[in-house]
Structure formats: C-alpha cells, structure tokens
Amino acid sequence: MKRKMKSIVIFIMFIAGLLTACQSEKSWQISGEWKEGEGRAVYLMQQVGDTLLPVDSALVRNGKYRMTGNLERMDRYILRVGNFRRTLFLDNQPIVGYFAPSKYDTTIMALTVRGSREQEMLILSEDYIMSRIMCAAFGVGKVELAKYDASMVPVVDSNLDLHTTAMFLTEMLQTEYPFADLLRQYESLSPEVKASWMGQELAEKIEAEKRIRVGGTAAAIELADPEGRIRKLSDLRGKCVIIDFWASWCGPCRRKFPELKALYADYRDAGLEVFGVSLDDKKEAWTKAVADLQLPWMHVSSLKGWECPVAKTYKVTGIPKMYLLDKEGVIVGVDLSEQELREKLDVLLKNK
C-alpha cells in the first residue's frame, strides 16, 4: 500500500512539474536598469493601427525595473523608458533593456535591448530597413537598392528557424529583395515558424504577391466599363493582354498613348488586347479622355481614384503602370519599354 501511495505521489509531482514547465514556457520577462528614473514608470506597449496601447508597466525601484506576464502570443512590442523607445520581440526568453552609447553617435546614450536570437534578428532587420529608407530618401537608385537588398540574403539563410525572419520577409515583399530568394527562404523556414501566425501571414502575402509578379498568374479584375457593364480580365484568356493603369489627369500616361496605340494596331489581329484600368474618380473626366485620345481598347474603372481595389491588389503606387500577360494569363513583363514589348509579343504571338 505504501509503495502504491509513493508511486501516486511521484506521479502527481511529475505532473505538477510538467505543468509548471509548460507554464514557464508561456511566460515573458523584461528587466533592466534606469538609474535616473527612480520612482518613474517603464511601459511595455504595442502598436495597434496608429495607436500605441499600454500592455504592462513597472516602477523603477533602486534603479531597476522588472515586468513579467503570460505569453499569449509572440509578437513585436515597444519598450518605453522615459523618452526612449525600442522595439522588441516578446518570446519566452528573458529580455534586458539598458542604456548604452548609440551606434550612430557614441557621445549620446540610447536604449538597447538584449534577449534571444529572435531579438537579435529583429534588431538587425529593423536597422537594415531603416538604413534602406535612408538610402531611398537620399536618392539611391533601384539598382543600388537591389544590391543592398541582396546583401541580406545570406543573413536570412542563416536564421530560417526564427519567427522574426518571417516578419522580415513579409516586410521585404514591398522592396526589391530578390523574390526567387524570398520564395526559397519561405519554403526553408522551420515547420514551427511556418505554422506560426507570422509564417501563415507570410504565406498569404506571398500568394497575393505571386499574382502581380513575373511568372505568376495575374490577379482577377472585375470592373465596370463606361456603360456600366462588368468586364472581366479572365474573359480575355487566350489572348496576350496589356493591363494599363492610367488616369485622365496623368501627363506621362497621355504621352505614352501614341506608342501604345501603334503597338495595338500592329498586334491586335495577331491576338493582342489592352485592358485599361482608370484611376479616375470622376466618370466624365475618364470617358472624355477615352474619347478625346481615341483609345480603341477595353476600359474599366472603379471611379475610386487611388482607392481602386484593383490598384491596391496590384500595388500600384504610380502611373502609368503596365503588365504584359501571355495567353494563359501569366505575367511575363512589367513596365516594359515599347521595344521590349514588341520583342516579347513577337515571340508570344509568333510574329517572327
């Protein structure tokens, strides 16, 4: 009987220990020093839309602070210490926030955080993105930016087991980061990262991105023509199609129309169609431009200007913007010159 009771006690202790371990795996901890902040509060915050919402706080005692809590989901948060802020990745590893000389100016102190490899990757990727923004602001060209983006490929390759890598790749979908490398790296992410909300979000965005990248099947378009009839891009399957995003008020768009009209005249009988998507928000201006410029192809518009859902799907941030599709609806070129379009069409339509 005693032996049986002893076995039960051991079993209960084992279960209790297992539950404690599971609970500890789902907790987070942030600590640090702020010698000048005695009695003041340190905040953990999260960005929700345009608003920073407090998640937790702690008072500084004897120059130190500490916060703990249950980890409901790993995510990006912001640590605010006085007027200083620093992004951090909340996981089940302890995070330390402290002040150290700024990497940009060693004469001033900056808030720094130290934690797991996830934290290190977050800091690296955010510093990289900020540097990239600065390069773009100072007029660094697309070719140079593409080289800069490519320099991150080996860094990502060595961190494919991290959730923050999935977050970084999601942000890189908006840049010239090599898409082929991004696809390969997504496929190489660890099963745990792929199954996380960060991995699932990346997968969804990749699928959407494929529909507007060379090699992907173009995203569906269903919009009204000037007579109010719904026109579908898919109805043109079997023909090569140029999707042309434009607007009546766009000077560069108008200047390109003569060469586009010449191209259409030369290749229409061979199987070329143009699908014009206007970003106008006034029907009269749109239809007047079509008539005045004598544009002889199919025209559609949501009449929502830059809020056009199709423009958002195709991530159109400037016009004119053109996509060339083959007969199966696969994107084979983006923003090609007239000569490049002719060379592509000669092959696709077998004119030569």
Side-chain angles (χ1 to χ4, degrees):
M1 185 69 175
K2 288 183 178 179
R3 183 177 296 174
K4 185 175 182 180
M5 286 296 294
K6 185 177 180 181
S7 298
I8 292 173
V9 170
I10 292 173
F11 177 74
I12 291 173
M13 290 176 65
F14 171 76
I15 294 297
L18 187 61
L19 289 174
T20 301
C22 289
Q23 288 174 350
S24 66
E25 287 179 358
K26 296 180 180 179
S27 65
W28 57 266
Q29 174 185 309
I30 301 172
S31 61
E33 292 188 357
W34 185 19
K35 295 179 180 178
E36 297 80 13
E38 190 66 27
R40 295 179 64 184
V42 171
Y43 296 93
L44 178 67
M45 313 186 81
Q46 188 171 33
Q47 187 89 34
V48 179
D50 296 328
T51 307
L52 269 180
L53 299 179
V55 175
D56 203 350
S57 64
L59 291 178
V60 178
R61 298 299 187 195
N62 299 319
K64 297 181 179 181
Y65 60 88
R66 185 172 182 270
M67 289 180 277
T68 60
N70 293 324
L71 183 65
E72 296 181 2
R73 97 168 190 170
M74 292 185 291
D75 205 345
R76 188 167 17 204
Y77 290 81
I78 294 171
L79 179 64
R80 196 184 88 186
V81 181
N83 295 324
F84 296 89
R85 295 180 182 180
R86 186 68 197 193
T87 306
L88 54 80
F89 186 78
L90 210 58
D91 57 8
N92 61 350
Q93 300 298 313
I95 296 172
V96 177
Y98 59 97
F99 286 93
S102 169
K103 63 186 292 186
Y104 303 106
D105 185 350
T106 57
T107 64
I108 61 175
M109 301 298 283
L111 178 63
T112 306
V113 292
R114 184 176 68 245
S116 64
R117 285 179 56 228
E118 295 277 14
Q119 188 63 49
E120 293 173 7
M121 183 60 186
L122 179 67
I123 293 172
L124 178 65
S125 61
E126 289 208 331
D127 285 350
Y128 168 80
I129 291 170
M130 181 55 66
S131 297
R132 191 183 188 284
I133 291 172
M134 294 300 291
C135 286
F138 283 100
V140 175
K142 283 192 173 183
V143 174
E144 289 74 14
L145 279 176
K147 292 178 181 178
Y148 192 43
D149 290 334
S151 70
M152 279 296 287
V153 171
V155 176
V156 173
D157 281 337
S158 60
N159 290 285
L160 294 170
D161 59 331
L162 301 180
H163 298 81
T164 43
T165 296
M167 297 173 79
F168 173 72
L169 290 176
T170 299
E171 295 189 56
M172 286 296 97
L173 280 168
Q174 312 298 322
T175 73
E176 284 73 36
Y177 189 87
F179 192 58
D181 283 306
L182 194 149
L183 290 177
R184 172 184 60 78
Q185 288 166 336
Y186 166 72
E187 292 299 333
S188 300
L189 289 173
S190 70
E192 180 186 359
V193 174
K194 275 189 177 181
S196 70
W197 72 264
M198 290 147 284
Q200 292 175 24
E201 181 181 82
L202 174 59
E204 291 174 5
K205 290 186 179 295
I206 284 176
E207 286 306 308
E209 192 73 18
K210 284 180 179 178
R211 295 179 296 163
I212 61 171
R213 293 266 187 163
V214 172
T217 299
I221 301 177
E222 295 186 20
L223 290 174
D225 67 12
E227 286 73 42
R229 296 171 297 188
I230 297 299
R231 300 286 191 166
K232 299 180 180 180
L233 177 64
S234 59
D235 289 341
L236 299 178
R237 194 64 56 86
K239 295 178 178 290
C240 287
V241 179
I242 293 174
I243 305 174
D244 177 38
F245 288 92
W246 70 290
S248 63
W249 44 260
C250 171
C253 301
R254 287 175 171 263
R255 288 192 290 272
K256 284 186 72 71
F257 281 137
E259 66 181 42
L260 186 56
K261 288 169 70 174
L263 191 77
Y264 187 56
D266 291 344
Y267 290 90
R268 181 178 183 176
D269 290 344
L272 172 67
E273 286 296 336
V274 177
F275 196 80
V277 181
S278 167
L279 299 190
D280 280 285
D281 57 9
K282 294 180 175 59
K283 184 174 181 179
E284 183 180 356
W286 168 39
T287 55
K288 184 176 186 301
V290 171
D292 290 348
L293 297 169
Q294 298 181 356
L295 307 179
W297 47 77
M298 187 182 300
H299 293 275
V300 297
S301 180
S302 67
L303 293 176
K304 294 181 179 179
W306 288 108
E307 294 303 312
C308 172
V310 171
K312 287 182 176 294
T313 297
Y314 278 80
K315 296 184 180 178
V316 177
T317 58
I319 51 178
K321 184 77 177 180
M322 289 185 181
Y323 291 84
L324 175 63
L325 316 185
D326 68 11
K327 294 179 180 181
E328 285 71 48
V330 174
I331 299 172
V332 294
V334 180
D335 292 334
L336 301 177
S337 67
E338 181 186 11
Q339 183 59 37
E340 290 170 329
L341 282 168
R342 288 182 177 276
E343 291 172 358
K344 286 277 189 183
L345 290 170
D346 282 337
V347 174
L348 293 169
L349 299 175
K350 295 182 172 57
N351 271 23
K352 290 186 178 180

